[in-house]
Amino acid sequence: MASFDPIDHFGHDEPPPRPTTPPVRRGFILVLIGLSLAAGLVYGVPFVVERAGYAYEAGRARAAGDAIKVLEKQGKIADASSLFRLAAAKVSPAVVNIRSFRAAQRPGPNGVIGIEPAGIGSGVVIDAGRGLIVTNHHVIKDGEQFVVRPSRGGEWPAQIVGMDPATDLAVLQVRAPVRVQAEWGNSETLAVGEWVLAIGSPFLLDQSVSAGIVSATERNRMGVIAEQGYENFIQTDAAVNPGNSGGALIDLQGRLIGINTAMSVEGGGINGIGLAIPSSLARKVAEDLIANGRVIRGYLGVQLKDLSPNDAEELKVPDGRGALIDRLVPDGPADQAGLKPGDVIVKLDGQPINDYTALRIKTSSMPIGATVPLDYLRKGQALSTKVTIAALPTSLSLGFQLRDVRGEDNEPIVVVDQVQFGTPAQRNGLQSRSQILAVNGRPVKTSTEANTLIDAIAPGSPIELQVHDGNGKLRTVNLGGRPTRP
């Protein structure tokens, strides 16, 4: 039997072989290493990141605290706070509380006549010498008597100078010693992010001031003003609550850059969205009401509609922006300038027109008689012309539109084409499809004759229309008289 000889098998210099790890044990070790790495990723990395984040935030907090101490020593924090205080102090005396009242039939055997509240809000003195105050139309529209309460106490009776439902603005006048008036600012220069203050009487709390920033400009189609109104709001997150309507929105220089008008209450709560009429619009409307008792707006003589994506593709409008002409008023400014239905207006007086709302607002504020360039697209072809801005017919500002038709014997007649909700025409019972026979006793055969006669009626004089209504009844519609100048 052979013996085991280590010399024969391994040689003199070779070590004996090491035992190998069984495959099962090697796999276990690899799994253990993998689990350890996974645990490190799951728990270790977030821990490290969290600690690093805490350290970063703690460092930022300490740095911010140190910076605040430096600014405080330099007096800059007090300076920043003083801007708010000074701006509020400058304008607050010009902001008043407004209450309106109307007659009420109280229940009882004799039906005693009393008065009841009809509206409440705020206003801003814009002319101390003549006691003129701008406010919202909806604050006073249902009232018959008006009381103004200034910041220093007391009460003043007020009368209406003029109202403009299309912009939700109105002007009141008091016969009292008013000493402070607000300074108009330029809302056209406002930028998103600028600080603003809202001053008014929310919930009957006089001289309440809230701060915020400009969240957006040129907000339209918000549904705040009745159909065919002019919406071009400043959006702010400064608190605007019931009673703030008609109050002041000011910048940190204490300039009036808006009239607070509405708030968003979607879902039943305040959503941090306050809306204000920009001063560029409010100032023109107020000045027109004071001078003429009504607003004189620019007019192109076009009926517009939305430019849908399909329209933009069909009419070859590359960016889908512009105001699409649906109809033209015969012999109106746009008709005389050579425009046609289907044309898309993209610029007016060098300013881009994104949609028909922008065009209406831009046109309404332009000087009457001004001749300005107008750029448009016709089936994709870029064209330009010049158009002379006319005055919007008074009939439209009162809330109704006229058109010419032919009667049964082919004779020309004038009919009411549209009546806008919430306007003097609608409130006084003028109906669509009514035939206009005469204006203040003078017969008319065309819409041009009717509009010319209405436009010529002096402030303070009545406007009476003789009409055949939709049922063929002959009657007189009294649209009221324009207020006289203060």
Side-chain angles (χ1 to χ4, degrees), residues 185-249:
N186 183 9
S187 59
E188 297 293 322
T189 63
L190 273 183
V192 172
E194 287 192 43
W195 280 104
V196 290
L197 304 179
I199 308 176
S201 302
F203 307 113
L204 296 178
L205 301 172
D206 290 351
Q207 300 300 302
S208 179
V209 180
S210 60
I213 62 168
V214 175
S215 305
T217 59
E218 298 183 2
R219 286 289 193 219
N220 52 47
R221 305 193 195 189
M222 300 293 291
V224 174
I225 300 176
E227 186 180 357
Q228 299 301 314
Y230 294 84
E231 293 190 346
N232 188 35
F233 294 117
I234 299 166
Q235 178 187 331
T236 174
D237 64 351
V240 176
N241 292 295
N244 269 117
S245 293
L249 186 72

Side-chain angles (χ1 to χ4, degrees), residues 364-398:
S364 70
S365 61
M366 298 194 72
I368 308 305
T371 299
V372 297
L374 184 149
D375 298 339
Y376 63 101
L377 298 175
R378 178 174 293 169
K379 295 183 178 178
Q381 183 182 3
L383 301 171
S384 62
T385 185
K386 288 191 175 182
V387 62
T388 300
I389 306 298
L392 182 74
T394 304
S395 58
L396 291 179
S397 68
L398 291 172

Side-chain angles (χ1 to χ4, degrees), residues 203-480:
F203 307 113
L204 296 178
L205 301 172
D206 290 351
Q207 300 300 302
S208 179
V209 180
S210 60
I213 62 168
V214 175
S215 305
T217 59
E218 298 183 2
R219 286 289 193 219
N220 52 47
R221 305 193 195 189
M222 300 293 291
V224 174
I225 300 176
E227 186 180 357
Q228 299 301 314
Y230 294 84
E231 293 190 346
N232 188 35
F233 294 117
I234 299 166
Q235 178 187 331
T236 174
D237 64 351
V240 176
N241 292 295
N244 269 117
S245 293
L249 186 72
I250 64 172
D251 59 20
L252 294 189
Q253 286 74 43
R255 298 173 299 203
L256 183 65
I257 46 90
I259 301 298
N260 296 317
T261 298
M263 63 206 165
S264 170
V265 291
E266 211 171 300
I270 305 304
N271 295 327
I273 297 178
L275 301 174
I277 300 167
S279 61
S280 58
L281 177 60
R283 183 174 187 176
K284 180 188 183 303
V285 170
E287 289 175 349
D288 277 357
L289 290 176
I290 293 166
N292 306 301
R294 66 183 181 94
V295 179
I296 300 176
R297 292 187 170 90
Y299 174 66
L300 285 178
V302 293
Q303 184 168 323
L304 305 166
K305 69 176 185 177
D306 273 323
L307 183 64
S308 69
N310 288 338
D311 291 330
E313 183 178 357
E314 182 180 345
L315 298 171
K316 300 178 182 178
V317 182
D319 58 1
R321 297 182 180 180
L324 175 58
I325 297 177
D326 187 35
R327 283 168 45 187
L328 291 166
V329 175
D331 206 33
D335 188 27
Q336 293 177 358
L339 293 167
K340 297 180 180 180
D343 290 344
V344 179
I345 300 173
V346 294
K347 272 188 181 182
L348 181 65
D349 197 22
Q351 298 297 314
I353 301 298
N354 291 328
D355 54 31
Y356 81 86
T357 304
L359 180 63
R360 289 182 68 244
I361 293 171
K362 175 68 176 174
T363 304
S364 70
S365 61
M366 298 194 72
I368 308 305
T371 299
V372 297
L374 184 149
D375 298 339
Y376 63 101
L377 298 175
R378 178 174 293 169
K379 295 183 178 178
Q381 183 182 3
L383 301 171
S384 62
T385 185
K386 288 191 175 182
V387 62
T388 300
I389 306 298
L392 182 74
T394 304
S395 58
L396 291 179
S397 68
L398 291 172
F400 65 99
Q401 186 171 331
L402 302 174
R403 64 184 175 94
D404 298 306
V405 299
R406 291 285 175 176
E408 295 179 357
D409 299 325
N410 204 37
E411 79 279 10
I413 60 176
V414 186
V415 298
V416 178
D417 190 24
Q418 297 178 30
V419 177
Q420 298 164 15
F421 179 78
T423 62
Q426 186 264 334
R427 289 197 301 272
N428 288 283
L430 188 63
Q431 300 174 0
S432 295
R433 302 185 303 278
S434 298
Q435 178 185 347
I436 306 296
L437 303 176
V439 175
N440 279 14
R442 298 183 63 177
V444 294
K445 295 289 185 182
T446 68
S447 59
T448 300
E449 289 177 355
N451 281 323
T452 300
L453 288 174
I454 294 171
D455 289 342
I457 295 173
S461 300
I463 303 173
E464 293 183 345
L465 306 178
Q466 290 181 320
V467 305
H468 272 305
D469 64 19
N471 298 318
K473 295 180 180 179
L474 181 65
R475 66 192 188 95
T476 299
V477 176
N478 189 340
L479 298 179

Side-chain angles (χ1 to χ4, degrees), residues 142-168:
D142 297 321
E144 298 167 353
Q145 300 177 24
F146 310 97
V147 174
V148 171
R149 186 170 64 217
S151 60
R152 66 175 183 272
E155 292 185 343
W156 303 328
Q159 62 181 10
I160 295 176
V161 172
M163 299 190 295
D164 184 48
T167 55
D168 195 20

